[in-house]
């Protein structure tokens, strides 16, 4: 037990006396109200800085994107609908700049990792919120959150050193299904594990925000613990859970290192998760890594892809923010 | 049915089945919770088995080498440490300043609301986008210091070209206060990018720490005629500092593990020297690990990479331990 | 105790024998012996913190939702000990409805709120008919019959509480426990709830906890007065001081402590 700190009036006066010199100094030099205002403006500037960051992102991404689309070799329509992504082709032309393979690769990984993380995360959330005793919860929840703190490059390593060989042994040696060394499934599994804590943590917060009076009401009607959890608590927390799902998927879409290491860099329109694919993020890194000159078509293409990525994740974040706000309005 | 007190024709309670279903789901939910922990354990064991025997002195004293048995990550370790130091230096004042403003000063209006939504949203922007922002704004500075830019022509700035091209000068003419524009692939550019990346986390954590200070303390100080800043600086901040530092360290530990934004910034995978100034090139631990993972030989790809991961995780663990220690030691319970 | 208890066994719904409830190591109520009569309204009154709610919640084993709670003694419901080995508390609760201090409708439609208990217990009859009957019994039908699909949270506080009563009635219970059902409501809504209790007692047995003396004297047939054991004020243990017909209790209580409380000299 920590000592409870009580601040008496006397202490505050003593404290002020000791600090008086410092303020006195400023009083002499500038006048108290001026100093107060300078501080206030400085603090205000700090928070406005965050808006500048957003503006910076938008200007950076979209100005180069506009340059990209003003080139004769590309156009927006083919970019959004084309199914071939060959930016390194010696013949840059609209049919080689279709972003859909990258989007499909990204969505495939987001979809499979969601299929891994959403049920497991929601199950963990229900367990932690409704079943686990306070002692168990105090151990399990931080342990689960460690997963979110592991660097993504480590997940990438885990995918190629453990998951992929495992898949190859089970599917290729066991069932005779071809598994390429770089494959989307292995990447999706680790990305799924990575976002479990996000799903679990936000969903659990939402469930714990459901007033216990609702649980009591259901118990009093002869509901079992399972029925209380699934028929009352989960529906009541549904918008919070949906917000968690959206945020987690958005996170999976923006994930880079694990995907790049495990899924490789082959842009293609495939639905086979055992092949190598390329995502939007891994394309961006691949090109920057090759140090494309800033004015080149590839140097500009990464901004177009980055802008696409930003718009998708931005929309998802905004939607989940709105959903979460609605949820809080109901119960707080 | 184990024990219905009274049977009633209108209902088919079937309680035995419902309770069985409940017990089944109880087990299923527990398994869900344990899946994550099992994977975590497997991951740690995998890394320890593959890399444990490769933890040797050379790992800390040598640079990357063509021979796996001689390869180390000295420049990565040093680079990571300097990078988080600089990042902390940059993000602390801005993050805490913004948090103080939003908790203690901000009026309830559309702008405050907008700032709040914006910070929430920034925390969800993929890290790679911050990399592109950093590359453009800090690394290249929109190409303003290239020989053919309007700025260089108008002001006749003496720029050079090449790897370390741009405009070098001493700030206020003081020797040693060197400045290099654009920031290029330097530690400064990397740290500034990381600052933007972790800023939302720092702000959110600092706000929570400040909010945890009970209003009665502020009221007491205001009641004695203290100004807003006097109240904040002498009453609120001293109490909130452990919480702020805890959040700060956790945010920095996120920066330590980040790889993608720095790759985009053009951080190098092979740096056979230690940085002498903040304007030097650098590499970091995760980048070194990534580099090893991409090499074809198993000694690099599997073993050295795992050894590097062990060092990285050890650094993260110590940062987290410090954060938890700070929180437990100085946390004031109200 | 008084002679009121010695009625015919068929008229007794609940009998508690030496009922004690602990929260952790803290004893909340001690050695309560009480018989609840069928088709009567029994009021439980007493100063705050004397264990009224704890006593009420031991009739449907709701105390067990608190992990540290422990019950000693017996509670006989229709002459069966509901705390006997092998009895599932879930099977009891459908027969003993409960209405809480603050209205707690589920964030679902009015219809789904009423149908909730019947659905989980697989009601075999016509659900629409059951919902209508329950809402009519709770005197809410006329106000909500055109908006059964609206959220239960959209109703006023008094309507919400009647919705919660309808919800409890839909599992066709025997007894309805009410924990200060009107304390969060305005006087007019309170009056409507009290009228409703009068109506319901024809078909149900009602046990109501209240801190409102007027309410207890207005609506109840029997009154149980709980108080803190005066021999050990520090421990704050609830005991049954007096139990009898409301009319007699409010005119001529046997115990001085009861009189002090009822007349407002204590509590």
């Amino acid at each position: 037990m920590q000592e409870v700190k009580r601040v008496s009036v006397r202490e505050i006066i003593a404290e002020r006396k000791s600090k008086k010199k410092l303020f006195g100094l400023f009083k002499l030099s500038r006048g108290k109200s001026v100093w107060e205002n300078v501080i206030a403006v400085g603090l205000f500037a700090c928070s406005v800085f965050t808006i500048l960051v957003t503006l910076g992102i938008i200007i950076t991404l979209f100005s180069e994107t506009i340059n990209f689309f003003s080139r004769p070799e590309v156009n927006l329509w083919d970019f959004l609908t084309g199914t071939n992504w060959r930016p390194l082709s010696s013949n840059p032309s609209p049919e080689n700049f279709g972003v859909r393979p990258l989007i499909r690769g990204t969505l495939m990984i987001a979809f499979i990792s969601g299929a891994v993380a959403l049920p497991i995360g929601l199950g963990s959330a229900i367990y932690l919120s409704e079943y686990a005793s306070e002692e168990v919860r105090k151990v399990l929840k931080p342990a689960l959150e460690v997963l979110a703190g592991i660097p993504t490059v480590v997940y990438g390593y885990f995918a190629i050193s453990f998951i992929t060989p495992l898949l190859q042994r089970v599917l290729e040696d066991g069932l005779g299904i071809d598994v390429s060394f770089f494959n989307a499934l292995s990447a999706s599994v680790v990305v799924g594990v990575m976002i479990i804590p996000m799903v679990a943590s936000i969903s659990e917060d939402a469930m714990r925000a459901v007033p216990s009076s609702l649980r009591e009401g259901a118990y009093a009607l002869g509901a079992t613990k399972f029925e209380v959890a699934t028929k009352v608590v989960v529906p009541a927390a549904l918008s919070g859970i949906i917000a968690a799902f959206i945020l987690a998927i958005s996170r999976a879409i923006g994930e880079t290192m694990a995907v790049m290491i495990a899924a490789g860099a082959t842009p293609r329109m495939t639905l086979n998760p055992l092949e190598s694919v390329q995502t939007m993020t891994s394309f961006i890194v691949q090109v920057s890594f090759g140090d494309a000159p800033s004015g080149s078509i590839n140097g500009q293409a990464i901004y177009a892809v980055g802008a696409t990525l930003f718009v998708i994740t931005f929309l998802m974040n905004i939607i989940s923010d709105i959903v979460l706000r609605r949820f809080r309005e109901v119960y707080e | 049915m184990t024990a219905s007190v009274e049977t009633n024709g209108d209902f088919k309670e079937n309680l035995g089945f419902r309770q069985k279903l409940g017990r089944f789901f109880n087990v299923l939910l527990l398994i869900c919770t344990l899946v994550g922990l099992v994977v975590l354990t497997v991951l740690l064991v995998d890394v320890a088995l593959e890399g444990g025997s490769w933890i040797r002195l050379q790992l800390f004293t040598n640079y990357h080498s063509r021979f796996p048995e001689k390869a180390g990550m000295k420049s990565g370790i040093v680079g990571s440490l300097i990078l988080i130091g600089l990042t902390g230096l940059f993000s602390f004042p801005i993050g805490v300043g913004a948090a103080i403003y939003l908790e203690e000063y901000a009026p309830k209006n559309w702008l405050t609301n907008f700032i709040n939504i914006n910070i929430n949203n920034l925390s969800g922007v993929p890290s790679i986008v911050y990399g592109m922002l950093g590359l453009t704004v800090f690394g290249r500075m929109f190409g303003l210091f290239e020989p053919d830019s309007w700025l260089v022509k108008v002001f006749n700035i003496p720029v050079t070209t090449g790897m370390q091209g741009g405009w070098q000068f001493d700030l206020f003419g003081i020797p040693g206060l060197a400045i290099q524009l654009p920031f290029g692939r330097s530690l400064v550019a990397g740290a500034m990018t990381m600052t933007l990346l972790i800023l939302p986390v720092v702000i959110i954590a600092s706000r929570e720490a400040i909010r945890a200070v009970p209003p009665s303390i502020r009221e007491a100080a205001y009641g004695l005629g203290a100004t807003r800043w006097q109240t904040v600086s002498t009453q609120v901040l001293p109490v909130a500092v452990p919480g702020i530092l805890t959040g700060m360290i956790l945010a920095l530990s996120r920066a330590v593990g980040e790889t993608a934004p720095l790759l985009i910034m053009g951080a190098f995978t092979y740096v056979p020297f230690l940085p002498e100034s903040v304007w030097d090139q650098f590499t970091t631990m995760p980048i070194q690990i990534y580099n090893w993972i991409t090499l074809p030989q198993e000694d690099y790809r599997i073993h050295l990479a795992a050894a590097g991961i062990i060092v990285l995780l050890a650094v993260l663990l110590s940062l987290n331990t410090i954060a938890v220690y700070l929180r437990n030691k100085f946390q004031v319970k109200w | 105790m008084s002679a009121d208890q010695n009625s015919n066994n068929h008229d007794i719904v609940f009998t508690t024998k030496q009922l004690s409830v602990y929260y952790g190591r803290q004893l909340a109520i001690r050695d309560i012996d009480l018989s609840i009569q069928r088709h009567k309204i029994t009021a439980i009154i007493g100063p705050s913190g004397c264990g009224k709610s704890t006593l009420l919640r031991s009739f449907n084993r709701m105390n067990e939702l608190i992990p540290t709670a422990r019950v000693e003694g017996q509670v006989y419901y229709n002459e069966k000990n509901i705390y006997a080995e092998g009895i599932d508390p879930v099977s009891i609760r459908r027969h003993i409805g409960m209405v809480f201090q603050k209205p707690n409708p589920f964030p679902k439609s009015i219809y789904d709120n009423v149908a909730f208990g019947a659905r989980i217990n697989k009601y075999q009859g016509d659900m629409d008919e059951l919902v209508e009957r329950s809402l009519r019994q709770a005197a809410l039908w006329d106000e909500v019959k055109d908006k059964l699909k609206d959220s239960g949270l959209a109703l006023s506080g008094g309507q919400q509480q009647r919705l919660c009563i309808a919800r409890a009635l839909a599992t066709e219970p025997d007894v309805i426990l009410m924990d200060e059902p009107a304390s969060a409501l305005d006087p007019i809504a309170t009056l409507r709830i009290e009228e409703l209790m009068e109506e319901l007692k024809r078909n149900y047995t009602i046990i109501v906890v209240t801190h409102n003396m007027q309410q207890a004297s207005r609506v109840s047939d029997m009154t149980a007065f709980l108080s803190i054991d005066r021999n050990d004020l520090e421990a704050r243990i609830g005991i049954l001081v007096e139990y009898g017909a409301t009319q007699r209790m409010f005119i001529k209580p046997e115990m001085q402590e009861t009189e002090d409380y009822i007349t407002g000299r204590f509590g």
Side-chain angles (χ1 to χ4, degrees):
Chain A
M1 275 288 129
Q2 250 92 5
E3 193 190 334
V4 176
K5 190 174 177 183
R6 288 179 203 281
V7 177
S8 68
V9 172
R10 194 172 298 163
E11 272 176 290
I12 291 174
I13 294 171
E15 186 105 18
R16 275 192 70 197
K17 270 185 187 154
S18 69
K19 299 274 154 104
K20 211 173 175 181
K21 267 187 185 162
L22 181 72
F23 286 102
L25 205 66
F26 286 113
K27 212 183 216 171
L28 281 178
S29 57
R30 303 186 201 181
K32 193 162 156 187
S33 63
V34 174
W35 173 239
E36 280 285 326
N37 289 338
V38 168
I39 296 265
V41 169
L43 297 174
F44 177 67
C46 287
S47 57
V48 169
F49 181 75
T50 59
I51 296 178
L52 295 183
V53 175
T54 305
L55 277 181
I57 291 174
I58 292 170
I59 292 169
T60 298
L61 293 181
F62 288 91
S63 64
E64 279 295 291
T65 303
I66 290 166
N67 289 341
F68 175 70
F69 284 117
S70 56
R71 282 173 172 271
E73 304 97 306
V74 286
N75 69 58
L76 183 60
W77 177 252
D78 286 315
F79 177 78
L80 291 175
T81 60
T83 56
N84 287 309
W85 184 256
R86 287 191 287 263
L88 303 170
S89 151
S90 54
N91 167 33
S93 65
E95 63 260 28
N96 286 332
F97 281 98
V99 79
R100 276 180 57 197
L102 296 185
I103 290 187
R104 172 154 318 179
T106 305
L107 290 186
M108 182 156 80
I109 286 179
F111 184 81
I112 302 173
S113 57
V116 171
L118 302 191
I120 293 178
L122 180 59
S124 314
I126 297 176
Y127 184 80
L128 290 174
S129 159
E130 304 300 311
Y131 283 83
S133 67
E134 198 52 35
E135 294 81 39
V136 172
R137 192 178 157 272
K138 262 190 198 148
V139 176
L140 285 185
K141 199 177 183 194
L144 206 55
E145 263 154 26
V146 171
L147 281 175
I150 303 263
T152 59
V153 68
V154 178
Y155 280 106
Y157 172 83
F158 183 59
I160 60 157
S161 78
F162 188 85
I163 305 280
T164 302
L166 187 72
L167 287 175
Q168 284 178 327
R169 204 167 307 151
V170 173
L171 295 177
E172 206 162 82
D173 303 350
L175 302 168
I177 303 166
D178 271 351
V179 179
S180 72
F181 181 74
F182 295 112
N183 68 78
L185 183 60
S186 177
S188 306
V189 169
V190 290
V191 173
V193 171
M194 198 185 306
I195 59 176
I196 286 175
M198 192 168 210
V199 178
S201 175
I202 302 175
S203 307
E204 197 225 345
D205 286 347
M207 284 186 231
R208 285 169 75 85
V210 173
S212 58
S213 66
L214 292 186
R215 293 182 183 84
E216 289 196 331
Y219 278 120
L221 292 167
T224 62
K225 187 172 200 137
F226 170 64
E227 286 156 353
V228 172
T230 54
K231 297 196 164 120
V232 174
V233 179
V234 168
L238 195 62
S239 46
I241 294 169
I242 289 172
F245 284 4
I246 298 174
L247 269 186
I249 294 293
S250 155
R251 172 85 205 281
I253 287 176
E255 172 46 37
T256 312
M257 292 315 292
V259 170
M260 197 168 68
I261 293 169
T266 321
R268 67 172 120 206
M269 292 292 280
T270 182
L271 285 173
N272 179 1
L274 301 175
E275 288 182 319
S276 169
V277 297
Q278 188 166 43
T279 63
M280 294 188 275
T281 51
S282 53
F283 167 72
I284 295 171
V285 177
Q286 185 195 24
V287 170
S288 331
F289 212 44
D291 202 21
S294 56
S296 71
I297 188 161
N298 272 312
Q300 289 172 343
I302 63 168
Y303 287 91
V305 174
T308 313
L309 176 70
F310 176 72
V311 168
I312 293 174
T313 52
F314 178 82
L315 289 177
M316 294 180 82
N317 294 343
I318 290 287
I319 291 169
S320 88
D321 203 51
I322 292 170
V323 173
L324 215 52
R325 259 164 220 268
R326 286 261 168 83
F327 171 74
R328 292 200 181 116
E329 272 165 21
V330 174
Y331 293 111
E332 282 167 18
Chain B
M1 226 180 291
T2 44
S4 176
V5 167
E6 186 183 304
T7 45
N8 191 327
D10 288 344
F11 293 90
K12 279 203 174 143
E13 280 181 2
N14 207 359
L15 196 57
F17 171 74
R18 283 160 58 200
Q19 293 286 30
K20 248 180 227 154
L21 192 73
R23 278 193 288 275
F24 171 71
F25 269 90
N26 189 353
V27 173
L28 195 71
L29 295 175
L30 181 61
I31 291 173
C32 280
T33 316
L34 295 179
V35 163
L37 302 181
V38 168
V39 174
L40 180 66
T41 313
V42 172
L43 185 152
L44 294 177
V45 170
D46 179 49
V47 168
L49 289 180
E50 302 287 9
S53 58
W54 286 72
I55 300 276
R56 307 142 309 160
L57 196 59
Q58 290 99 307
L59 197 63
F60 304 94
T61 57
N62 289 13
Y63 301 107
H64 174 65
S65 156
R66 286 190 294 122
F67 307 101
E69 53 279 9
K70 285 190 190 162
M73 56 191 308
K74 186 180 177 185
S75 50
I77 294 170
V78 173
S80 277
L81 293 180
I82 298 177
L83 191 74
I84 62 162
L86 285 177
T87 306
L89 214 60
F90 295 154
S91 56
F92 186 82
I94 306 175
V96 176
I100 294 173
Y101 177 78
L102 291 170
E103 284 299 318
E104 304 285 334
Y105 283 77
K108 276 205 163 148
N109 60 16
W110 67 269
L111 182 63
T112 307
N113 206 11
F114 181 71
I115 293 173
N116 281 328
I117 294 174
N118 182 55
I119 291 172
N120 267 349
N121 186 58
L122 278 180
S123 69
V125 170
S127 61
I128 195 169
V129 170
Y130 285 100
M132 301 178 80
L133 175 69
L135 170 70
T136 315
V137 175
F138 304 129
R140 292 183 183 148
M141 296 198 163
F142 300 103
L144 284 177
F145 296 96
E146 277 160 28
D148 55 350
S149 94
W150 60 269
L151 192 76
V152 168
K153 284 179 181 150
V154 170
F155 292 97
N156 209 8
I157 298 170
V159 295
T160 56
T161 52
M163 268 306 265
Q164 288 276 42
W167 180 30
Q168 279 97 7
F169 61 98
D170 289 337
L171 192 62
F172 308 127
I174 303 166
L177 273 183
I179 297 283
Q180 172 197 306
L181 297 176
F183 296 151
R185 299 170 156 202
S186 66
L187 277 161
V188 169
M192 286 188 170
T193 308
M194 283 299 166
T195 297
L196 303 188
L197 175 73
I198 66 167
L199 199 55
V201 187
V202 174
I203 295 175
I204 291 168
S206 305
R207 287 186 68 172
E208 269 168 25
I210 293 171
R211 206 178 304 147
V213 179
S216 57
I217 289 213
R218 299 176 180 84
E219 281 154 18
Y222 285 133
L224 289 165
T227 63
R228 198 175 281 255
W229 176 244
Q230 283 169 339
T231 306
V232 170
S233 61
T234 64
Q235 302 304 329
V236 179
L237 280 186
V239 181
V241 154
I244 292 174
L245 286 182
T246 305
M248 188 77 218
I249 293 171
L250 293 179
L252 286 177
S253 68
R254 183 175 164 202
V256 174
E258 276 294 349
T259 322
L262 293 177
L263 282 181
I264 305 256
M265 290 288 307
F268 290 84
T269 51
Y270 178 57
V271 180
F273 55 83
L274 295 183
E276 284 171 1
S277 85
V278 293
W279 304 106
D280 280 344
Q281 300 161 8
F282 68 103
T283 190
T284 66
M285 284 187 275
I287 292 177
Q288 186 66 70
I289 293 164
Y290 171 68
N291 182 36
W292 283 335
I293 288 176
T294 55
L295 295 177
Q297 301 97 311
E298 189 157 294
D299 278 347
Y300 289 117
R301 197 165 58 80
I302 299 295
H303 301 304
L304 262 174
I309 286 172
I310 294 172
V311 177
L312 176 63
L313 292 181
V315 170
L316 288 177
L317 185 69
S318 18
L319 280 175
N320 280 276
T321 311
I322 294 171
V324 171
Y325 173 78
L326 270 180
R327 182 165 56 198
N328 292 345
K329 170 122 198 207
F330 296 104
Q331 193 177 42
V332 182
K333 288 226 167 106
W334 302 98
Chain C
M1 298 300 133
S2 81
D4 300 316
Q5 259 176 302
N6 305 325
S7 322
N8 184 340
N9 268 351
H10 180 72
D11 296 330
I12 303 293
V13 180
F14 278 113
T15 308
T16 69
K17 294 234 166 93
Q18 302 283 300
L19 177 71
S20 301
V21 180
Y22 294 81
Y23 294 119
R25 312 185 76 178
Q26 167 73 35
L27 184 55
I29 52 174
R30 188 181 64 209
D31 294 341
I32 307 258
D33 289 298
L34 190 66
S35 294
I36 305 289
Q37 297 182 24
R38 198 178 296 280
H39 298 318
K40 293 263 164 71
I41 298 178
T42 304
I44 302 174
I45 61 170
S48 55
C50 71
K52 301 187 294 286
S53 289
T54 302
L55 175 60
L56 189 76
R57 281 158 178 257
S58 39
F59 290 122
N60 64 345
R61 295 186 61 171
M62 286 289 277
N63 280 328
E64 284 157 61
L65 297 180
I66 299 159
T68 58
R70 188 162 54 83
V71 176
E72 281 176 5
Q74 297 94 41
V75 175
Y76 291 95
Y77 167 58
N78 292 338
E79 298 178 4
K80 281 176 197 148
N81 181 8
I82 58 171
Y83 284 92
E85 194 98 352
I87 300 259
D88 186 341
V90 175
S91 72
I92 291 155
R93 295 191 189 123
R94 181 172 73 73
H95 301 277
I96 302 159
M98 188 162 191
V99 177
F100 297 83
Q101 195 168 353
K102 253 183 84 189
N104 58 349
F106 302 129
K108 299 169 185 284
S109 73
I110 292 168
Y111 186 99
D112 288 343
N113 259 285
V114 180
F116 182 87
R119 276 186 186 142
I120 56 173
N121 287 298
K122 291 274 178 335
Y123 179 64
Q124 299 297 302
D126 181 352
M127 190 65 81
D128 290 352
E129 188 265 333
L130 176 72
V131 170
E132 180 176 343
R133 173 156 42 100
S134 306
L135 284 168
R136 277 188 194 283
Q137 278 185 302
L140 191 60
W141 175 253
D142 291 333
E143 291 158 64
V144 301
K145 64 183 174 202
D146 299 322
K147 47 178 186 180
L148 291 175
K149 294 281 162 244
D150 288 12
S151 167
L153 295 173
L155 298 173
S156 74
Q159 287 174 323
Q160 285 189 11
Q161 195 60 302
R162 277 178 283 142
L163 176 64
C164 292
I165 293 175
R167 185 175 73 181
L169 296 177
T171 60
E172 299 185 347
D174 202 18
V175 184
I176 300 169
L177 309 176
M178 294 185 168
D179 192 352
E180 303 194 19
S183 67
L185 305 180
D186 63 64
I188 291 170
T190 302
L191 219 59
R192 295 207 62 172
I193 299 282
E194 288 178 9
E195 283 168 11
L196 183 56
M197 288 162 74
E198 276 306 321
E199 283 289 307
L200 292 173
K201 103 180 184 189
R202 271 187 271 155
N203 298 315
Y204 305 92
T205 306
I206 296 176
I207 309 175
V208 57
V209 164
T210 179
H211 57 231
N212 181 336
M213 287 309 104
Q214 280 86 32
Q215 188 172 60
S217 65
R218 271 198 306 264
V219 300
S220 72
D221 304 301
M222 303 292 289
T223 298
F225 173 56
L226 260 61
S227 190
I228 291 157
D229 186 358
R230 289 198 159 175
N231 298 324
D232 191 0
L233 283 173
E234 277 295 293
R236 297 195 68 81
I237 299 164
I239 51 163
L240 179 64
V241 175
E242 189 169 352
Y243 178 48
T246 302
Q247 284 216 318
R248 185 189 57 72
M249 287 265 282
F250 275 80
I251 293 164
K252 198 177 175 346
E254 280 173 10
M255 311 290 286
Q256 183 62 39
E257 198 181 343
T258 314
E259 188 173 345
D260 288 352
Y261 180 70
I262 287 170
T263 54
R265 258 175 277 169
F266 153 70

